[in-house]
């Protein structure tokens, strides 16, 4: 089922999410719905707060990035095959040089800004079958994970840009809160009357 994505300004996007257990109600259904919702919105990642649940869960599928001509064949292949569910994730380490990439967010439609993140992460998490894993990721996969991980920590990519850039996009952010944004997917806007 395709769910509405909660827009900028909704308090759930600012909550630090809670860990869950394997018997969390309807967990498999939630995960399936999150993938459906993400694909419908042409996203590469979606965190549970973006569908109104303050739980430590996010899903990623980097396939859409694999077509980029800016990448090597090896990088394209790595992105093409990467689809993963992350439950109760904890980033243990971020290392390497910071590099910039133009990020966007399904909760903040029509806003894109360069965000600087470390190139490599070590993360501990449970997969959808509650198998515990500790893995190292780098490049675009690490970036997508960091972006979604921020969501379960109550952080948005707009928090990571300069004050000047935030000032320049202030009107766009207000429009999103007021329901004036027009993405081609279902959204739930914070201030919109009759929502």
């Amino acid at each position: 089922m395709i769910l509405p994505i909660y827009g900028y300004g909704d308090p759930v996007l600012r909550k630090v999410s809670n860990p869950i257990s394997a018997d969390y109600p309807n967990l498999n259904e939630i995960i399936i719905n999150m993938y459906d919702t993400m694909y419908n919105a042409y996203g590469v990642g979606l965190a549970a707060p973006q569908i109104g649940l303050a739980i430590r869960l996010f899903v990623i599928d980097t396939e859409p990035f694999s077509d980029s001509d800016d990448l090597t064949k090896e990088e394209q292949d790595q992105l093409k095959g990467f689809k993963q569910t992350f439950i109760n994730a904890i980033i243990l380490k971020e290392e390497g040089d910071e590099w910039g990439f133009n990020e966007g967010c399904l909760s903040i439609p029509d806003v894109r800004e360069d965000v600087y993140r470390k190139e490599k992460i070590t993360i501990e998490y449970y997969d959808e079958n509650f198998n515990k894993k500790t893995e190292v990721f780098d490049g675009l996969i690490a970036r997508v994970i960091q972006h979604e991980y921020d969501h379960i920590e109550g952080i948005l990519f707009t928090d990571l840009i300069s004050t000047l850039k935030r000032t320049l996009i202030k009107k766009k952010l207000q429009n999103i809160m007021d329901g004036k944004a027009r993405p081609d997917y279902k959204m739930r806007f914070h201030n919109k009357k009759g929502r």
Side-chain angles (χ1 to χ4, degrees):
M1 181 195 321
I2 294 164
L3 304 170
I5 293 172
Y6 283 49
Y8 180 88
D10 197 290
V12 73
L13 297 175
R14 292 305 189 176
K15 289 182 178 167
V16 176
S17 296
N18 297 312
I20 59 173
S21 59
D23 60 357
Y24 188 84
N26 305 314
L27 181 58
N28 286 337
E29 185 183 340
I30 291 167
I31 292 169
I32 290 166
N33 291 344
M34 285 178 67
Y35 277 109
D36 288 348
T37 302
M38 177 182 77
Y39 293 139
N40 179 66
Y42 304 101
V44 294
L46 187 71
Q50 294 179 276
I51 59 160
L53 298 174
I55 57 174
R56 295 187 77 81
L57 165 64
F58 58 89
V59 299
I60 287 173
D61 186 342
T62 57
E63 174 99 19
F65 281 156
S66 67
D67 294 336
S68 174
D69 295 333
D70 298 335
L71 302 172
T72 66
K73 173 82 169 85
E74 182 185 351
E75 288 170 324
Q76 288 175 337
D77 290 344
Q78 184 185 30
L79 292 167
K80 190 168 278 189
F82 191 79
K83 177 181 175 181
Q84 184 61 56
T85 300
F86 292 80
I87 300 170
N88 297 342
I90 298 171
I91 291 182
L92 303 173
K93 193 169 19 172
E94 294 178 304
E95 54 193 327
D97 295 330
E98 287 198 343
W99 60 290
F101 187 81
N102 196 253
E103 291 189 22
C105 179
L106 297 178
S107 293
I108 313 174
D110 303 322
V111 175
R112 298 193 67 84
E113 292 292 339
D114 287 342
V115 176
Y116 288 82
R117 299 185 187 273
K118 298 278 189 183
E119 62 189 351
K120 185 175 172 185
I121 61 165
T122 304
I123 187 167
E124 180 182 280
Y125 67 99
Y126 293 87
D127 66 15
E128 64 276 10
N129 300 311
F130 261 80
N131 297 313
K132 191 174 187 178
K133 300 183 174 190
T134 302
E135 294 187 273
V136 176
F137 298 105
D138 60 11
L140 275 174
I141 290 175
R143 175 170 293 274
V144 176
I145 292 170
Q146 287 166 307
H147 179 107
E148 298 309 325
Y149 183 83
D150 280 352
H151 273 297
I152 63 171
E153 291 292 324
I155 299 166
L156 300 173
F157 85 92
T158 49
D159 299 338
L160 307 178
I161 61 176
S162 70
T163 307
L164 172 62
K165 285 188 176 174
R166 263 199 309 278
T167 303
L168 293 173
I169 62 170
K170 191 174 182 179
K171 179 75 173 142
K172 282 185 178 180
L173 297 177
Q174 187 61 51
N175 284 342
I176 294 166
M177 287 196 292
D178 294 342
K180 295 177 183 171
R182 294 282 172 258
D184 56 0
Y185 50 88
K186 261 200 305 193
M187 280 197 79
R188 181 179 187 273
F189 298 105
H190 182 60
N191 294 340
K192 190 171 181 183
K193 305 286 184 266
R195 58 180 179 105

